[in-house]
Amino acid sequence: MDLPDNLLCLFTAELEETDDSYIIEVPAREVSKGQLQPNQTYRAAVVQTASPKREAQTQNKERPDSTAKHSEDHSQNHEQTNRELPVEKGEQRTVDIESLGDQGDGITRVERGYVVIVPDTEPNERVRIEITDVSKNVGFAEVIERKDYYE
């Protein structure tokens, strides 16, 4: 997913139903940073996360113990996948943790919705990470530094 240069903020929120409309609340931290001002009009984009049905299917699946197969597949497709993936092993970047996965690890998404799993993190935490492993569908990273949200 390409992000426009004029993007002011990015956050995760739930769509809430009221009497005759739906509301997405903007976290106060987005206004306190100074990027947004109350009583102004902004354009918002809505990007879908995993559907509840897909999340339920994922939660019910057991992770097969196929480390050898994963390593073999990863080696065979390393060159091809490396060109297509938005991250590469050893890359460092600052990210915001969006949610927790089934195993309690932090989850963030980068370009094109690519998921990166970051152990020992909490939702809404901003961290500097180093990518430790990549596969076609998911990347793994470790925390290098914990950041103040406003940095």
Side-chain angles (χ1 to χ4, degrees):
M1 171 188 326
D2 292 328
L3 298 176
D5 292 335
N6 61 348
L7 178 69
L8 297 177
C9 64
L10 182 63
F11 58 89
T12 302
E14 289 187 27
L15 185 65
E16 297 177 13
E17 185 174 3
T18 63
D19 295 333
D20 60 347
S21 64
Y22 295 87
I23 298 172
I24 295 177
E25 290 188 14
V26 176
R29 68 177 180 263
E30 298 300 337
V31 176
S32 66
K33 287 191 317 187
Q35 297 284 43
L36 303 180
Q37 300 299 319
N39 303 316
Q40 296 293 315
T41 302
Y42 296 96
R43 181 173 292 179
V46 178
V47 180
Q48 183 176 0
T49 58
S51 69
K53 182 177 180 181
R54 183 175 174 159
E55 284 181 8
Q57 289 172 344
T58 303
Q59 289 175 358
N60 293 332
K61 282 186 180 178
E62 289 185 359
R63 290 177 61 165
D65 188 18
S66 58
T67 309
K69 181 170 180 10
H70 170 75
S71 297
E72 180 182 297
D73 289 348
H74 185 69
S75 298
Q76 289 174 352
N77 297 323
H78 181 69
E79 279 187 42
Q80 177 186 0
T81 341
N82 233 8
R83 283 183 246 127
E84 299 169 3
L85 298 177
V87 297
E88 59 185 54
K89 189 173 181 177
E91 178 181 346
Q92 294 184 7
R93 58 168 68 195
T94 299
V95 298
D96 294 323
I97 303 300
E98 297 175 17
S99 60
L100 292 180
D102 295 342
Q103 306 297 317
D105 295 325
I107 295 177
T108 189
R109 288 176 178 78
V110 295
E111 293 83 13
R112 300 186 315 255
Y114 185 81
V115 173
V116 178
I117 297 175
V118 187
D120 302 320
T121 56
E122 296 293 326
N124 301 319
E125 187 175 9
R126 178 167 282 179
V127 291
R128 181 131 185 98
I129 60 170
E130 181 172 334
I131 305 296
T132 57
D133 194 19
V134 293
S135 71
K136 182 177 178 184
N137 299 319
V138 66
F140 297 89
E142 61 184 30
V143 175
I144 296 173
E145 177 184 3
R146 296 183 191 278
K147 299 266 192 183
D148 179 33
Y149 187 83
Y150 302 106
E151 285 183 34

